[in-house]
Amino acid sequence: MLQSLFNPMTPKTTFDIVTLLTLSTHLLVALFFPLAAKRIILMSSFAFWRLCYNGGLGWVLNWQSSRHGLVAMFKRNGWLDSSRGGKIHLWLKSELEAKMGPDYSFEAVPIEFNAWLLYRQLVDLILLNDFTAYFFLCSCYMGSANDSEPWHAFLRIAGGLILLAFNLWVKIDAHRVVKDYAWYWGDFFFLVEQSLTFDGVFEMAPHPMYSIGYAGYYGGSLITGSYTIFYASLAAHMLQFLFLSFVENPHIEKTYERPPLAVQVIKRSRNRRLSSALSDPSDAVADEAVTSGIASSIRERPTSLWHPDLIIFKNFDLFRASDILIMLLLGYSVGIPLGFMWATGHVRLVLVYSICQCVGWILFRTLALGFLLKRQSTSQLITRWYIKHGGNGEEAFSSWRAVCNTATVMTYGSFGLVALAAYHWGDADFGNLILFHTLGLLLIAFHVWSSRSVYETLGDFGWFYGDFFARDSSMLSLAPADIKLYYTGIYRYLNNPEKVIGQAAFYGLALISRSWAVFALALLLQICYFLFSAYVETPHMEKIYGAQVRRESGIVRTVKKAVSLGIGQPLFVGSESYINGETRNADEDVPESSSMANLLASTTKPVKDILLETRGLLSTTTARLAERALPSELSKIDHLGFYGLKLLPGAAWKASATKSPANKAAKSIYFLGEPIRVDWQAPLNHSRRDWIGIYPVTANFSNQITTVSSKGRYVYIHPDENLLAEMVVGDSVFAGFVKGTASVKENVAIANGERGSEHQSQKGHPRKRSSGMVSVLHGEALFSSSALPFRVGTYEMRLHHGGTHAVLAQSKPFEIAVCDAKDIVDMLGDKDGAANESDGLDGLALALLTVVNKIFAVADSRAIPMTNQGDLGGGGQLNDVCVETDIVEPLESVGDAFSVDEVLDEGQARRLGYAIKEYFGVEFSSDVLIHAAKHGATVHDVAKRIIEARKALSAYSSANF
């Protein structure tokens, strides 16, 4: 990039010229503007380009990742298509061919690759300007520090230069590992045959280009000695972490780690169909026997599966005795001394008390509990004690978890008390005050992140040292299926992160309070934890895991490798360079596209009320203003009266039709989670971006324009290739298709037709009438999965014109309801719950399986080409496309886990909890369901839990279950 941009002998593209011009503006500002003015201009420029990077590029990448948005835009406009692109196509082709060199062919590569190359030009423009603005901004603040001694300045500048050199090495080594493909986010556009690589600097820290790769920012802050540069650098770094959290991490997870739910469900369904086609029919008898005996084969689940333990304050339960006791203990130990100090002013007395208390909890948490764990490792002391006194291993581990969490909470609380009692700044410099508080808060945030990373990697079992209590998964319910040592997550970089960085928050408290006492206590805790690790944890791990224990962490290995090879050797030697792992002479002609061919191959209630009223007023005003402009917009549409919607009956009507007389109201009733089909009609020349949305019947003020969001509950009725370019696996919004054509008279269609009676043309819409017969398309749209409303209530459908919110047709109101209790829970028999429990459990489990499958169902849509008019009954268009959609349900039997891959996200858990409450009358929180799913709970387990809950509640319920 830099060689082609700054080499005067290299031809320059339009992108290069624009980049050079914008870069030169920073130089002109730095050279010719007065100091105060250029500081303001360059700071504004740096903020602009940083927001363009993290906000602009982040939005584009997120759009591309979720909807193939950038590639779909090029396909939709035809800019990369020689037959449709025109002058824009020729210009883009000439730009890329000049940029990439002679071995690149614009026409020979896929459109995704060309879209990525164009995106690279935008990245180069923004990143180079971001760096240049920061560099000249730092130059404006050189000499800002007021060093009292010369050696202070020497240490500051030397430290800054070291950080800059380290930053440079990190970037170079990261590029060596990921190459241009990942450097420019190539996997957002297309995938090659490779997996995530953890080598070199990627073994030192997670996401090194975004974490330690920004050390140069703080090096620049040290060299300039400016608080302004430091806080600007910190803000830019925080924006980069936001970019990582909301853009890159979600994409990495769904691409390399855990595919989206829809992908997993569809893949599982296809594997089932394949296995069914290849299996022997005689195996069905054995499968049925296994299913019938599932109740007796499933392992008994302990209470901890459904009632997760307290982790610090996570999963706090107001009615659990141990949680209440922890809060009381914390109040007595911390709250009362604080109140006493503020009421009496005896700060020194409270400080001495808090230090003594903190030392006690440190020793208890590390040495006392360490002694117990040591004895547990050698002789199973705790487990033997519980067995001797009538307990078992589960109870021993449960009690240990409560004690361990109490010690951790009290250690944190006692540290906080010491910091509050010792907090003093007096007449300290304001700059130092802000700096120390900022650094302290950063250390606390770092501690929170590292602790969460440790917990996410270890889970409940590892967090509470479960392998001291169980050697295999059959001994404890919380034990994973295979108890092995895995170096994943934060453990990829550190063998024992708690020992190294697990006390960062306490050093942060020392900085904030400016107290040597807090620092000494933090140091004591770290020393004690080193002893705990050396004499308790490490010997036990070596005894249990043996050769699996890693001797060197990822950081140590990377540093050793860098020292042995020579840090920065490929950069500073000058005569050689590394390309694809081979050493080449730097004087050789290395075109920028040399690796491209290889790449292609491989608040209070009144306030709330005021806000709600204001929001309603704005919505109403918007609707009224829009209505005035709407007739002129819709008057441009031919045959406006031929648009219509008609709901197709669902399961409620089919059940009612078997009875006499049939319940006509059941035609407009659909069960919660049930797919809804709707017939639509539109003229032949309708917009291919017409769409149907579902809304609560009282949500919109106007019948002519929709004023509220559909919240993703919409379906395109007849998408074309341009729209389908944005379709991803599991999409439910492209489930509309054409069934055929018909010829109707306008007055018949409006007055007497079935769709016309369902939806008359809107009052005030001018119509363009035509004489004779008019050909119209009729088709069907399928609402399923995320396109369905998931709340009981009354709704309506609205057909909108061409990607706008102008309403063309409305359906009759329909109701989302749940089945009658007798249709799902009649297996309970007697009202007092004395029915046979095994029969009731199996029946309820099957009913729950049906509900869970409806909730987690995924739309499997496929675009099918229609190459002749006969496909549309004589009225189709050449090279049209049609969408086929299948509803795929993830679970096969009640013995399946009620989640996919033991992962249940917050949204899925809320939907499942709501469905269980509505269908079965038992309320489970989303946290409980997530915890149970993480530990492999099955549909059968949830059904059994529902029965137990109903029995517990039935005796005191006004409606006897």
Side-chain angles (χ1 to χ4, degrees), residues 84 124 154 186 307 377 422 466 507 520 539 664 867 881 893:
R84 299 166 54 207
D124 289 344
F154 172 78
H307 205 176
S377 175
Y507 292 108
K664 294 184 178 180
T867 57
V881 291
S893 71

Side-chain angles (χ1 to χ4, degrees), residues 446-496:
F446 180 65
H447 178 102
V448 172
W449 169 82
S450 64
S451 297
R452 291 189 61 179
S453 300
V454 168
Y455 177 72
E456 289 171 0
T457 304
L458 298 179
D460 294 344
F461 182 77
W463 180 267
F464 290 113
Y465 307 97
D467 50 7
F468 282 78
F469 293 81
R471 306 292 173 86
D472 60 72
S473 58
S474 63
M475 298 175 67
L476 288 177
S477 58
L478 291 180
D482 54 339
I483 302 180
K484 295 181 180 179
L485 204 57
Y486 295 101
Y487 288 99
T488 59
I490 194 172
Y491 286 87
R492 182 177 283 115
Y493 318 104
L494 296 168
N495 286 348
N496 193 337

